[in-house]
Amino acid sequence: MYYSVAPSFIEVISNGVAQHNIASQRDKDRIVVEKPFGTDLASAKGLNDLLNKLFYENQIYRIDHYLGKEVVQNIAAFRFANYIFEPLWNNKFIDQVQISVTESVSVGTRGSYYDKSGALRDMVQNHLLQLLSLVAMECPGNYDAEDIRRQKVKVLKKVRPFTTATAVQDVVRAQYTKGEVKGKEQVGYKEETNVARNSTTETYVAMKVWIDNPRWKGVPFYLRTGKSLERQSSVIVVQFKDSPHKIFKDDVVPNRLVISIQPEQKISLLFEGKVPGLEMKLKPLEMDFSYHDSFIEEAPEAYETLLLDALEGDATQFIRADQVETAWSIVMPILNAWSKEKGDMKNTRLVAGAPKKLKS
Ligand code: BG6
């Protein structure tokens, strides 16, 4: 069964499925549930309780299509199949991590859903926190559903809870206004179909997240996402610390590992090198691995991969009940803080879509 429905329909459908024994075989029948999985922590818990009452947890496949993307699946391979990166993957060497999903598309025809949701619920609670957990998790014992998901939950539980003060100080929200995107006129968010004319729903959110464990102590994770921005791009930037050796006259740019999920699919390492010539002059250079250049086959679409996994009973790339609830617990204090200060919005037209170094 594949539920691609609003959360409010899940109860009636699930009761029907259970009553008519459509998914009664524990090892064979599976329920794939699309996002949004709840609209807050309480409703997500309610959905989990309902599904767990009617079906076994190993039958429930909560989908997040970001986990089906080729480069996202490669994060675990990159980190754990290459011994050279893992020793550097911590607060001794990493200065900050930036996870940016910027979209040039607007809400378009999805106004009635989006206006009740906003960027935090629509993107951060699921896709961005999944990316964060893949970058930040500890090495699983095995590459299988139980171990991978256990490590993801473990690291999400170490995300420092937002307080009312940090939700205001470390999280920025904004809404797009009328302007031009890729040379085309774009109406403001409040002028979109099925959006309230006085809406305070955020179409952009940027936040600083801390992970309180020994590996990540002191390393900020910057998460950003928004619609109707200049660029369509999903990218993770791991920025390393400045070199402690200052032996060259030129300024040295810190190393960066850039994992581009889309539209380009590539992983690049930025490093300093010598410019050819008589002088010792430095320049930032790039070592690239591009999917397009290295593989002839087109990568399958995220949904092709995930739905095939579900048919085959492989839950590695699906969200467990405790994962979804932990992710909701992270964003709830922000939603609560915002609900108390309605109307204080910034204008996203002034917010560049491309990832830049943020000040911590
Ligand atoms: C969906 C969100 O989950 O992800 C959309 O509901 C968003 O608002 C989409 O546009 C982004 O997915 P992708 O694969 O285009 O980056």
Side-chain angles (χ1 to χ4, degrees), residues 112-163:
S112 51
Y113 151 74
Y114 195 89
D115 206 34
K116 288 189 216 81
S117 168
L120 191 65
R121 286 186 171 95
D122 185 50
M123 297 292 289
V124 176
Q125 185 275 336
N126 35 72
H127 308 320
L128 274 85
L129 287 178
Q130 283 304 313
L131 296 179
L132 175 136
S133 54
L134 276 168
V135 172
M137 72 183 186
E138 296 299 314
C139 183
N142 289 298
Y143 189 77
D144 64 27
E146 271 327 291
D147 280 359
I148 295 262
R149 298 189 299 176
R150 183 178 309 123
Q151 292 302 346
K152 283 185 175 178
V153 175
K154 226 167 128 184
V155 74
L156 284 182
K157 283 194 189 284
K158 290 291 174 191
V159 167
R160 187 180 302 167
F162 282 92
T163 60

Side-chain angles (χ1 to χ4, degrees), residues 22-84:
I22 297 172
S24 54
Q25 302 176 82
R26 186 176 179 171
D27 295 322
K28 249 176 102 191
D29 299 330
R30 291 166 203 127
I31 314 279
V32 179
V33 188
E34 259 299 343
K35 67 169 277 260
F37 195 87
T39 51
D40 56 14
L41 178 59
S43 57
K45 276 188 171 159
L47 277 184
N48 276 334
D49 289 348
L50 169 87
L51 292 169
N52 289 136
K53 200 173 73 197
L54 300 171
F55 314 107
Y56 293 98
E57 175 61 25
N58 76 328
Q59 290 183 281
I60 305 162
Y61 284 61
R62 297 169 195 79
I63 207 163
D64 181 320
H65 77 283
Y66 260 69
L67 298 184
K69 291 184 189 278
E70 200 55 57
V71 183
V72 175
Q73 296 206 347
N74 198 12
I75 296 173
F78 185 83
R79 286 190 55 195
F80 304 125
N82 297 294
Y83 193 50
I84 57 169

